[in-house]
Amino acid sequence: MNRIALAAALVAATSVASAQQGPKPEDEIQYRQSVMTVIGRAMGPMGAMAQGKAPYSAAVAQKNAALIDTLLTLPWNSFGPGTESAAPNKAAPAIWKEPARFKQSAEAAQKAVANLVAVSRSGDEGKFKAAFGEAGKACKSCHDDFRTKEDHR
Amino acid sequence: MNRIALAAALVAATSVASAQQGPKPEDEIQYRQSVMTVIGRAMGPMGAMAQGKAPYSAAVAQKNAALIDTLLTLPWNSFGPGTESAAPNKAAPAIWKEPARFKQSAEAAQKAVANLVAVSRSGDEGKFKAAFGEAGKACKSCHDDFRTKEDHR
């Protein structure tokens, strides 16, 4: 291993170890929570525009919709066995009791966000607001069914 | 506000409030840590390939390099005043003492990752390994200078 590869290995050490052994349940919880935190932040500027509290910007809509679209592909494999309670989290038991319904709900959110991406590219403010509303509704529906109000272990 | 907009507003409530009032320091810390957690996970599969512990896949390289490239644009505005110690975190005092050097170091990492994206698109395994090494080195350099080993408040 040359020095550059060694430097990279040092940076990636934890993740590489995880990739080989399978991530620890607490790391899976931290990962899916992190993805959702970044998504939540990206919702902010779009929510403000949808509510007329910030002027509409097609660039802001496009950037944040695309970011959420990418991030929404990431968390679903991190709800594996043992990740129900390895660290404080809001994942509801229904995720593991009704996996098909959870998958359907997650996919509905991804579909709504894909539509938001397409609509954001059009630059039409009215269509953006409607599509953002639908995306928010899909997010909320999944949260209502599969997220607890408070952290649990 | 119609029902769809209301649903969206409910989902985005926290973020919207933050966008208006400015995010709380502890939320900024959580946000930048979340971004870094998602980046760390994306480093994993590339690190395994760079070290020959996983077979090279151009698709895996492209996907993860692009994800990190996008995420690396996000955390820098979340190192504002008051975010040094509002929650346990590893941000080093040098971030605020030497902001120009921090900016330079962060930009060097972004540049190295932009190169990794370009190289990943070429599909050349050798070039990928070299570019990943350089990116890892740039990440490590910034971490060495601006990240503490343990959480502090």
Side-chain angles (χ1 to χ4, degrees):
Chain A
M1 189 182 288
N2 65 31
R3 290 173 66 183
I4 293 177
L6 180 64
L10 287 169
V11 170
T14 314
S15 308
V16 172
S18 297
Q20 289 166 339
Q21 299 151 11
K24 291 181 195 167
E26 58 268 36
D27 291 339
E28 290 286 44
I29 290 172
Q30 186 191 21
Y31 178 66
R32 69 197 190 205
Q33 288 175 334
S34 294
V35 170
M36 290 297 177
T37 293
V38 183
I39 290 174
R41 178 68 73 101
M43 287 293 281
M46 292 197 289
M49 295 193 300
Q51 293 175 74
K53 293 180 180 174
Y56 176 70
S57 157
V60 170
Q62 283 166 30
K63 184 188 163 187
N64 287 287
L67 177 60
I68 294 174
D69 188 49
T70 298
L71 291 168
L72 263 189
T73 65
L74 303 177
W76 315 115
N77 288 335
S78 295
F79 290 92
T83 68
E84 304 90 335
S85 58
N89 76 100
K90 294 190 173 71
I95 290 171
W96 294 277
K97 282 182 194 157
E98 303 174 74
R101 199 162 70 87
F102 178 53
K103 187 168 184 279
Q104 193 176 39
S105 189
E107 284 173 355
Q110 288 175 275
K111 198 174 164 187
V113 170
N115 181 55
L116 182 62
V117 169
V119 163
S120 295
R121 285 191 187 130
S122 79
D124 184 304
E125 182 175 355
K127 285 181 185 168
F128 161 78
K129 287 185 176 178
F132 180 78
E134 292 290 351
K137 204 169 138 184
C139 294
K140 183 179 182 300
S141 172
C142 198
H143 291 168
D144 285 348
D145 292 351
F146 299 102
R147 188 176 67 168
T148 58
K149 292 203 187 304
E150 304 294 335
D151 272 342
H152 64 81
R153 288 204 70 135
Chain B
M1 188 181 292
N2 67 31
R3 290 174 66 185
I4 292 177
L6 180 64
L10 288 169
V11 170
T14 314
S15 307
V16 172
S18 296
Q20 290 166 339
Q21 299 151 13
K24 291 180 195 167
E26 57 268 38
D27 292 339
E28 291 286 44
I29 291 171
Q30 186 190 22
Y31 178 67
R32 68 196 191 205
Q33 288 174 334
S34 295
V35 170
M36 290 297 177
T37 294
V38 183
I39 289 174
R41 178 69 72 102
M43 288 292 281
M46 292 197 290
M49 295 193 300
Q51 294 175 73
K53 293 180 180 173
Y56 176 69
S57 158
V60 170
Q62 283 166 30
K63 184 188 163 187
N64 288 287
L67 177 60
I68 294 174
D69 188 50
T70 298
L71 290 168
L72 262 190
T73 65
L74 303 176
W76 316 114
N77 288 335
S78 295
F79 289 92
T83 69
E84 304 91 333
S85 57
N89 76 100
K90 294 188 173 71
I95 290 171
W96 294 276
K97 282 183 194 155
E98 302 174 72
R101 199 163 70 87
F102 177 55
K103 186 168 184 280
Q104 193 176 38
S105 189
E107 284 173 356
Q110 289 175 273
K111 198 174 163 187
V113 169
N115 180 56
L116 182 62
V117 169
V119 163
S120 295
R121 285 193 187 127
S122 78
D124 183 305
E125 182 175 355
K127 285 181 185 167
F128 161 78
K129 287 184 177 179
F132 179 78
E134 292 290 351
K137 203 170 139 185
C139 295
K140 184 178 182 299
S141 171
C142 199
H143 290 167
D144 284 349
D145 291 350
F146 299 102
R147 187 176 68 168
T148 57
K149 293 204 185 302
E150 303 295 333
D151 271 343
H152 63 81
R153 286 205 71 134

